[in-house]
Amino acid sequence: MSEVLANSPKGHIEVKNFSLAYETIEGAVQAVTDTQIHVRPGEFVSIVGPSGCGKSTLLNAVAGFLKPTTGVVTVDGERVNGPSAERGMVFQQYSLFPWKTVRENVEFGLKMRGMPRSQRERAARTLLGLAGLEAFEKHYPEKLSGGMKQRVGIVRALATGPKVLLLDEPFGALDAQTRVIMQQILTNMWQRLKISVLFVTHDIDEAIFLSDRVYCMTARPGSIKAEIPIPLERPRQQSMMMSSEFLALRRGLMSLIREESLKAMGGEINDLGMQGLNIELHGHSLADVI
Amino acid sequence: MSSPALVRQPEDSMPATALAEAGSAPAAIIRPSTPPSFATLGLRWYRLNRAGLRAAAIGVISLLAFLLVWHLLTTYRVVFFVRFTNVPSPLAVYDSFIKAIHDPKFLMHILLSCRRIFIGFSLAAIVGVPLGLIMGRFKLVHEVIFPVAEVLRPIPAIAWVPMAIMLWPTNEQSIVYITFLGSFFPILVNTLHGMSLVDPVLVRAAQCLGARERSIFREVYFPASLPHIFTGLTVGMGVAWVSLIAAEMISGQYGIGYFTWEAYSLVQYADIALGMIAIGVLGLGSSLLIRGAGQLVMPWRST
């Protein structure tokens, strides 16, 4: 445990001159272009943007699942060449192994590292205890609620003591109350472990509430539209979400994203043909309705 | 980290008792202070298993009804498109069953059939499952083997009989070979199907927990495919019996299929039905065995 908990800040993520294109039959489709982001050791950074803007693509490249078309991704100066246990990842779909119990899921990374059984059992129990899950160590994931599954997912990603934690809309499938609790849990763990977090979400409140800094992406092809520092003090409380400071940040981010969403939708709508839409809208123009 | 938020989970759909204990002690089942009497236990057991008992009762009634209809049709020798004139009655079959279980020859027929199934089916599983896993993982192997498998697969095992007799030196071997062929393709195809459905996110999850190719195969692909592998084994077992009986009827000297065919040639009508029922019971028994094995191997699937 000492290994996992008592770390000094580490995990400096740098993404430089990044672009990523997919090959399709109609030619290359640019998903992300000309993007620079960085996460300082121990920093909590979120990426927000309209849907389809390539924020998950960017995260997957940091994880090592996708190779950049141009540019480099480095963590603590080392180039990312593929997935590794140094970069823990939490997925929206929980992605727990259904055939493993909660504890076996948490143990998985340690097992891959070759840690002896008794030792990794102890480590997994301690971690599950921190997340209030030790009573469920022998349950199979299927029996757990969404919030519990995602707590297991986070604990599993943290078990190997990664330098950075990458989260891809981890609370997107949870209901509002659960989400608030999960945000609290994540903040607690992050502060305790002092690791860098890169968090992708489409929820602006969530991004502001959790982060030290928020990157806002443009519509596809995605690039960084703005970088917004969040100067709210820590520890953050739910009540802060009503503060004028929070609301001002929220308004700013909202208008940035709305601009991009409209740009993205505008393209689609033009493709579909405005005429058809006008008929459906009974004569009101699209702008009126929006 | 002992923040109350970690322990209290209003969203959780777990039972309230388990919730209250989460974070302190393992979730316990509600335990009354005094042990309940046998009567309460019996009542509780009845309540919990009511649906199962109902199904069992209806099952028994429907089997009895089947026997009754069979009995009536044969006693009155009904002829209505289908002729029941020579069909043995249930009682006649029961008589020949009693005779047969004291006859070592009948038991030998059954044992031999079981042995052929065991060898043929086991070989099919030992070859089919790993081959399916490897084909699912390595594109080249898939590209090489799949076309051949697709051409051979639609050939019914029974059409293999003449070829099998030419291929194998003994009759016994050719019958086992046909049983093998019958179960091999369902096992292979279902294993492949299972491999193709493995959630790529789980593979990614394993990769960023430090798993290498071999571990991913063992810890992700294989267990993820197990439900489909067992579907393949169940279907394969059914086809194995079909193929075995066909092979035994055509080229056998022993075995329950041969027994049934021989009964027809010797005009022992009761034995025909006895052979058929024996085949049915053996087929059912072997599927149950596979289902039981499946539950043992996949504890996460049982409720």
Side-chain angles (χ1 to χ4, degrees), chain B residues 77-133:
Chain B
R77 304 194 179 282
V78 175
V79 176
F80 180 72
F81 295 106
V82 190
R83 299 157 302 156
F84 285 90
T85 351
N86 286 326
V87 175
S89 71
L91 287 172
V93 176
Y94 180 73
D95 284 342
S96 69
F97 168 68
I98 296 298
K99 236 182 283 161
I101 51 169
H102 294 105
D103 179 5
K105 229 175 143 192
F106 178 74
L107 295 178
M108 190 196 60
H109 283 306
I110 288 194
L111 277 179
L112 257 172
S113 286
C114 289
R115 202 183 75 164
R116 287 165 179 163
I117 285 284
F118 179 76
I119 299 175
F121 176 79
S122 303
L123 283 175
I126 291 168
V127 179
V129 172
L131 185 64
L133 292 173

Side-chain angles (χ1 to χ4, degrees), chain A residues 71-84:
Chain A
V72 280
V73 178
T74 60
V75 173
D76 289 342
E78 269 176 63
R79 199 186 175 123
V80 168
N81 274 324
S84 122

Side-chain angles (χ1 to χ4, degrees), chain A residues 220-272:
Chain A
R220 178 173 281 236
S223 60
I224 301 300
K225 184 183 177 76
E227 179 189 340
I228 298 114
I230 309 293
L232 300 173
E233 63 188 47
R234 293 191 187 268
R236 300 210 174 136
Q237 313 290 340
Q238 279 302 303
S239 55
M240 284 182 182
M241 297 181 85
M242 293 296 147
S243 71
S244 55
E245 218 180 343
F246 190 99
L247 292 175
L249 285 164
R250 186 170 192 269
R251 252 195 312 274
L253 261 170
M254 276 287 222
S255 64
L256 285 171
I257 291 187
R258 186 173 309 124
E259 233 175 88
E260 289 306 318
S261 297
L262 280 176
K263 224 186 272 172
M265 276 174 68
E268 275 170 40
I269 290 163
N270 282 335
D271 287 350
L272 291 169

Side-chain angles (χ1 to χ4, degrees), chain A residues 102-174:
Chain A
V102 165
R103 198 190 66 215
E104 287 166 345
N105 263 284
V106 174
E107 278 178 33
F108 186 82
L110 302 172
K111 186 179 177 183
M112 291 302 105
R113 201 199 269 169
M115 186 186 276
R117 182 186 291 269
S118 60
Q119 216 176 322
R120 63 175 197 252
E121 266 184 35
R122 220 174 316 131
R125 283 217 181 88
T126 317
L127 280 162
L128 284 170
L130 291 179
L133 286 165
E134 75 265 74
F136 302 100
E137 59 164 316
K138 292 206 176 79
H139 286 57
Y140 285 103
E142 196 200 18
K143 303 268 170 66
L144 305 182
S145 68
M148 295 174 90
K149 281 184 198 166
Q150 201 53 296
R151 269 188 280 163
V152 177
I154 294 173
V155 168
R156 181 180 69 175
L158 291 173
T160 49
K163 290 178 176 178
V164 302
L165 187 61
L166 311 170
L167 302 100
D168 189 2
E169 304 204 19
F171 310 141
L174 303 178

